[in-house]
Amino acid sequence: MFKIQEETGYEVMLECLELGKRHYEEVYGYKSDYVPRQYNYNFLKICQENGLMHFICARDDSGKLIGYFVDLVSPDMFSSEFYAKDMAIYVDEEYRKQGLFNEMLKAMEDLLTKNGIMIHYLEFQEGHNESMPLKFGYKKVASLYEKLLQEDK
């Protein structure tokens, strides 16, 4: 059995970032030579302390962190409404295909709704379950393009 819940505090953020090492290698490893994994801990702490970052965590029976769903809340420049966008979603490979994403997504949507957030955006990398949001009522509204500008360093 798993425990899915919102968690707060700097220690939770650090724990998610530690698990995030595997997440980064899996999803962004192709550009790690050009865009190294590094964090601005002060910025992340400010976002968290001011309610702009929300963490939904999945833990196993022993309390081990096995997944996370992290959103960043921002104001929309044109409507002045707040929206949330995922910063990171990850489930440890050993625990996939057990419904943890579904449960974390539902918990995050409930949390955002409770906090008056109107819109929720999810971003999936090519080849990493990018059609999954469609199963939960999300629709594709944009295409994201990337160009590594510093490849020739």
Side-chain angles (χ1 to χ4, degrees):
M1 200 45 132
F2 307 110
K3 186 173 187 177
I4 309 292
Q5 66 181 17
E6 178 186 20
E7 296 188 27
T8 59
Y10 191 65
E11 296 75 25
V12 170
M13 182 178 68
L14 294 177
E15 196 175 3
C16 289
L17 293 174
E18 184 62 31
L19 182 59
K21 289 178 183 177
R22 283 183 271 165
H23 181 192
Y24 184 84
E25 287 306 314
E26 181 180 330
V27 179
Y28 302 105
Y30 70 94
K31 63 181 176 182
S32 61
D33 290 342
Y34 311 108
V35 184
R37 182 180 172 271
Q38 58 188 23
Y39 302 112
N40 180 331
Y41 291 97
N42 288 331
F43 171 75
L44 295 173
K45 186 176 180 186
I46 288 168
C47 288
Q48 187 182 31
E49 288 174 347
N50 287 286
L52 300 176
M53 274 174 61
H54 297 283
F55 291 81
I56 297 293
C57 296
R59 296 187 181 275
D60 67 9
D61 289 334
S62 71
K64 174 185 169 192
L65 182 69
I66 57 173
Y68 54 77
F69 196 125
V70 183
D71 269 15
L72 180 66
V73 175
S74 301
D76 179 75
M77 183 172 88
F78 301 108
S79 69
S80 297
E81 294 290 339
F82 285 91
Y83 67 89
K85 183 191 173 302
D86 76 278
M87 289 181 71
I89 305 168
Y90 185 73
V91 175
D92 188 291
E93 203 167 354
E94 180 183 337
Y95 297 92
R96 292 181 188 168
K97 307 279 188 210
Q98 298 181 47
L100 288 173
F101 171 81
N102 307 14
E103 292 183 48
M104 289 191 302
L105 175 62
K106 174 76 170 108
M108 182 60 80
E109 288 177 345
D110 290 347
L111 176 65
L112 296 173
T113 300
K114 184 177 97 179
N115 284 287
I117 305 302
M118 299 293 293
I119 300 170
H120 190 211
Y121 294 104
L122 297 177
E123 180 182 321
F124 282 67
Q125 299 294 315
E126 291 258 345
H128 291 274
N129 299 315
E130 67 265 23
S131 65
M132 187 182 286
L134 300 173
K135 297 174 187 174
F136 298 95
Y138 289 78
K139 63 181 181 176
K140 186 175 181 178
V141 296
S143 294
L144 180 67
Y145 299 90
E146 175 182 78
K147 179 180 182 181
L148 296 175
L149 300 175
Q150 303 292 320
E151 279 189 75
D152 297 328
K153 278 186 169 180

